Amino acid sequence: MTLYKLCVFVPATHAEAVKQALFDAGVGRVGDYDHCAFELVGQGQFRPLPGSQPFLGSTGRVERVTEHRIELVCDQRYLGAALRALVAAHPYQEPAVDLWPLLDYRQFL
């Protein structure tokens, strides 16, 4: 089984909806637990360029917004469905998503 760490930045107003969409897609399972996530609140910034359709802000102006960094573990077999669910639930035109393959720490014990 190949696991990935999925990290997404989402405005506070949509954090719960994005998490739920990911959980429904099979993300956030660790052993005998589900709905596992780490969440951190911070400030994001961006500037919409011409041709963009921003959820927040306006073209050419830097926008700062309270965002949640949400990290979850995802089994590779759920990855496609998870990313489709994330994009459907996320309000931004271009969600910021990080994805890393993980090693199973137990193999080193």
Side-chain angles (χ1 to χ4, degrees):
M1 168 172 47
T2 302
L3 293 177
Y4 287 84
K5 171 73 66 79
L6 176 66
C7 176
V8 60
F9 298 84
V10 61
T13 56
H14 289 72
E16 290 303 316
V18 169
K19 281 193 302 188
Q20 191 59 55
L22 289 168
F23 295 147
D24 290 347
V27 180
R29 294 180 184 174
V30 179
D32 293 333
Y33 298 85
D34 70 1
H35 286 71
C36 300
F38 178 79
E39 197 166 340
L40 185 66
V41 178
Q43 182 174 299
Q45 79 170 45
F46 54 88
R47 182 174 68 171
L49 297 174
S52 65
Q53 297 176 341
F55 170 72
L56 297 168
S58 55
T59 302
R61 294 184 55 185
V62 173
E63 180 71 22
R64 290 177 179 81
V65 61
T66 299
E67 292 181 328
H68 290 220
R69 175 187 174 124
I70 302 169
E71 297 184 18
L72 314 96
V73 174
C74 182
D75 186 312
Q76 183 176 1
R77 63 189 157 158
Y78 301 121
L79 199 50
L83 293 170
R84 287 188 293 276
L86 184 154
V87 168
H90 202 293
Y92 290 172
Q93 183 180 4
E94 299 286 342
V97 178
D98 296 334
L99 193 60
W100 301 284
L102 297 176
L103 296 173
D104 184 348
Y105 75 89
R106 293 170 289 201
Q107 71 182 353
F108 302 102
L109 298 177

